[in-house]
Amino acid sequence: MPEAPKNLDGVIACPSCDLLHEVEDIRPGQRAKCVRCHTTLISPKADSMDRTIALSLASVMLMIGALSFPFLGMSKAGLERQASIVDLIMAFSQGWYQLLGLCVLLFVVALPMLRAGLLIYTIWPLRNGKPPLPHAKRAFALAETLTPWTMTEIFILGTVVSLIKIGGLAKVSFGTSFWLFCVLVLVVAFQNASVCRWTIWQTIKKVQP
Amino acid sequence: MISARESGLVGCHKCGTVHEPSLRECRTCGAGLRSRKPNSLQNTWAWLITGLVFYIPANMFPLLTNRVLGSDDGHTIIEGVILFYKKGDFLVATVILAASLIIPITKFLIIGFLILSIRFRWDLSAHARLVLYELVEFIGRWSMIDVFVVALMAGLIRLGAIISILPGPGSVCFALSVIFTMISAQSIDTKLIWDQTPKERK
């Protein structure tokens, strides 16, 4: 069994199981996993920062588009109605039902956008070789914490299930916003995959004043 | 193989940087440093019970009400499953059954099982328990799908007396139950799973 390490910067403790590993140079595209629990420890990617910034900006643009067009439309007995995501959030104005709108607002719109904003805030100066902006550590830590609470992909699957459940009750059609949102789901997925925690933390540590 | 705790060091839960135990704050990411999250099991229990408490009314009250030509037809989760099953819509019935009943109940059972196994040091494979934990963490968020379905249907289908779908009290309780259960799963310190079985081979 190895002795306790002397150089604490040369080791990483798996955040999931606490096992110590020696840090080696990992090339972009490679992935270092914990030998015990297989949690990904280090997974640098080529142009990781550029990619994260680009995808974050793209997700903000797509969200602006997705909010401004109708999401779904319905018709029954000659009457028609269209609803945008904003309509869905505002639809529930009484008492406890506001929580339903709040869930959509937070998990589908606000938190994904906050995460994109925090990633841009943290990574933009690093990418340009400048020192991190104030509270960059807290910003990136928050962005990491938010990841499980962004539920854009769940919302799209929920849309599909709703369509099945509405079934014969009324005729339903997709709006522009639905298709923009489908692209947004892909962009967010790539955005999540483009971040290498360890690389960002090390960069912040290296360049901080 | 040796863990940070076994070598007298503290590994940051957020970024993995290793520190001397005297430090309070991670020098890389600034997170508070603890070898193990304090009161992890108690917190998990508390959130889990809160989630369970809200899951009961979520099943007793209607999730949503269909109002067609002025007549209301509300049903709870189980009534919904039976309704679609009787209609012969087995796919929808199975989707609702899985998303609203099987997944949440399995989640409660797995989280309860995990904290019991840590608390009483059951001699179980840490790998198997990690798989269970990852399952709960992965699946947990997906229960929110029901909440979105209610929001989407009730937000879209609103043509007054001709046809409207109204949200039911069950949906609010269900949303709270999912949120509390997610927090519960996040409160588990997975490092605890490995503390008892340091010599297990992979």
Side-chain angles (χ1 to χ4, degrees), chain A residues 88-89 91-92 96-108 149 151 154-159 161-162 165, chain B residues 54-55 58 63-64 77 96 99-100 104 107 140-156 165-182:
Chain A
L88 294 177
I89 295 168
F92 310 99
W96 285 100
Y97 294 117
Q98 287 176 2
L99 191 83
L100 294 177
L102 194 69
C103 280
V104 178
L105 173 67
L106 280 178
F107 302 139
V108 181
W149 299 98
M151 305 187 181
I154 303 174
F155 186 69
I156 276 296
L157 205 75
T159 314
V161 174
S162 323
K165 279 180 94 170
Chain B
F54 278 99
Y55 189 65
L63 221 50
L64 37 78
I77 296 173
I96 306 172
S100 319
K107 236 169 25 185
R141 316 163 53 232
W142 284 91
S143 294
M144 207 45 121
I145 200 169
D146 279 290
V147 180
F148 293 150
V149 167
V150 173
L152 277 156
M153 291 176 73
L156 176 68
I165 293 180
L166 312 168
S171 59
V172 176
C173 300
F174 195 90
L176 290 171
S177 171
V178 174
I179 293 171
F180 292 137
T181 320
M182 274 181 74

Side-chain angles (χ1 to χ4, degrees), chain A residues 1-6 8-9 11-21 35-39 71-77 79-83 87-88 90-92 96-101 103-104 107-108 137-138 141-142 144-145 147-155 157-166 169-170 172 197-198 201-202 204-205 208, chain B residues 1-7 9-20 26-30 35-36 63-64 66 68 84 89 91-92 95-96 127 130 134 137 141-159 162-163 165 167-173 175-176 178-179 182-183 186 189-192 194-195 197-198 200 202:
Chain A
M1 191 159 275
E3 286 296 300
K6 296 275 172 336
L8 294 184
D9 277 328
V11 285
I12 175 171
C14 172
S16 165
C17 80
D18 212 29
L19 194 71
L20 286 177
H21 299 76
V35 293
R36 187 161 72 173
C37 72
H38 308 296
T39 303
F71 189 70
L72 289 175
M74 65 154 297
S75 62
K76 171 87 177 178
L79 288 168
E80 275 184 53
R81 197 184 124 76
Q82 285 188 321
D87 293 332
L88 294 177
M90 309 294 279
F92 310 99
W96 285 100
Y97 294 117
Q98 287 176 2
L99 191 83
L100 294 177
C103 280
V104 178
F107 302 139
V108 181
K137 283 182 178 183
R138 238 187 271 168
L142 181 60
E144 284 293 302
T145 316
T147 317
W149 299 98
T150 60
M151 305 187 181
T152 44
E153 76 280 27
I154 303 174
F155 186 69
L157 205 75
T159 314
V160 176
V161 174
S162 323
L163 294 184
I164 300 173
K165 279 180 94 170
I166 292 172
L169 284 176
V172 181
R197 250 188 295 167
W198 178 259
W201 283 128
Q202 292 310 307
I204 293 180
K205 198 161 134 186
Q208 75 187 346
Chain B
M1 299 212 295
I2 186 166
S3 75
R5 166 173 263 193
E6 285 159 348
S7 31
L9 300 165
V10 176
C12 174
H13 274 84
K14 271 217 150 71
C15 67
T17 311
V18 183
H19 303 81
E20 294 291 344
C26 175
R27 65 201 143 97
T28 305
C29 70
S35 179
R36 298 293 176 265
L63 221 50
L64 37 78
N66 297 345
V68 183
F84 279 107
D89 231 333
L91 179 75
V92 184
V95 168
I96 306 172
H127 273 285
L130 183 76
E134 282 175 348
E137 247 211 335
R141 316 163 53 232
W142 284 91
S143 294
M144 207 45 121
I145 200 169
D146 279 290
V147 180
F148 293 150
V149 167
V150 173
L152 277 156
M153 291 176 73
L156 176 68
I157 313 282
R158 343 177 89 196
L159 290 179
I162 297 175
I163 182 166
I165 293 180
S171 59
V172 176
C173 300
L176 290 171
V178 174
I179 293 171
M182 274 181 74
I183 302 176
Q186 288 175 7
D189 188 344
T190 44
K191 294 184 178 184
L192 291 169
W194 299 89
D195 280 346
T197 50
E200 191 192 353
K202 44 170 183 168

Side-chain angles (χ1 to χ4, degrees), chain B residues 27-44:
Chain B
R27 65 201 143 97
T28 305
C29 70
L33 273 182
R34 301 282 190 142
S35 179
R36 298 293 176 265
K37 290 182 199 168
N39 306 327
S40 160
L41 297 186
Q42 284 97 319
N43 288 339
T44 312

